[in-house]
Amino acid sequence: MAWSIEITALRHTCRKIWAHTATRLGSLGADQQGISSVQYAMVLPAVLAAVMGTVDMGRMMFAQNTLVHAANEATRYAMVRSEASDHMATKEDVVALAKGKMTGLDATQAVVEVRWDPPENVPGARVTVDIDYPYTLSALGLGTVNLNGSSSTFVTH
């Protein structure tokens, strides 16, 4: 009989523990308080990376457009200043003008190359301006991209 009293007491204790555990486990499923914080913590880095990447790509497109504009302005300057004009364009003049048109960029990092084909600055020659610029993708730390702006036209006078 002692066995049966101990087994009955053990069963009763186990039932109490099981009932308490089932009640606690059931309440966990209904508790939604921390879910939004966890979801926010998981989604926020991806959203920030997308926004910062978009801003950085916009800045890179601005830099590319600025380089092309500077190259176009420099070739236009050289186009109307041949040996036959009152003020002949030199490579130094064209490079200085191109670097002056690089608004918002560090012109000291730009490499500007000017060439005439044939090598003389005469009417009918082709003048080409190439600008290379190292652009750093700063928002996400993805490194450096080499951007290029180029323009070519014929010298008219």
Side-chain angles (χ1 to χ4, degrees):
M1 188 130 115
W3 267 114
S4 67
I5 294 175
E6 288 179 16
I7 291 176
T8 305
L10 184 62
R11 281 185 187 159
H12 181 67
T13 305
C14 286
R15 284 186 187 136
K16 277 182 145 183
I17 292 172
W18 178 252
H20 180 72
T21 305
T23 303
R24 296 300 261 160
L25 287 175
S27 69
L28 286 179
D31 186 15
Q32 298 285 320
Q33 276 186 320
I35 296 292
S36 62
S37 297
V38 172
Q39 291 172 343
Y40 186 73
M42 292 174 69
V43 171
L44 183 65
V47 170
L48 284 178
V51 169
M52 291 173 69
T54 301
V55 169
D56 220 8
M57 287 299 130
R59 288 181 58 237
M60 186 173 75
M61 291 173 61
F62 168 78
Q64 176 68 37
N65 189 43
T66 300
L67 294 176
V68 171
H69 174 71
N72 285 338
E73 289 291 320
T75 54
R76 185 189 174 286
Y77 176 83
M79 176 181 82
V80 295
R81 289 172 175 80
S82 70
E83 289 177 353
S85 70
D86 293 337
H87 179 68
M88 180 180 84
T90 63
K91 285 187 179 187
E92 293 79 23
D93 294 337
V94 177
V95 168
L97 181 90
K99 287 189 175 190
K101 294 291 182 178
M102 291 184 206
T103 307
L105 301 178
D106 184 6
T108 60
Q109 293 184 5
V111 177
V112 181
E113 182 184 333
V114 181
R115 62 184 179 279
W116 283 272
D117 185 30
E120 299 84 26
N121 183 4
V122 294
R126 178 175 285 280
V127 61
T128 303
V129 176
D130 289 318
I131 305 172
D132 290 322
Y133 184 80
Y135 179 78
T136 304
L137 294 165
S138 57
L140 299 176
L142 297 176
T144 302
V145 177
N146 192 33
L147 300 179
N148 181 277
S150 184
S151 180
S152 183
T153 190
F154 290 100
V155 177
T156 57
H157 56 281

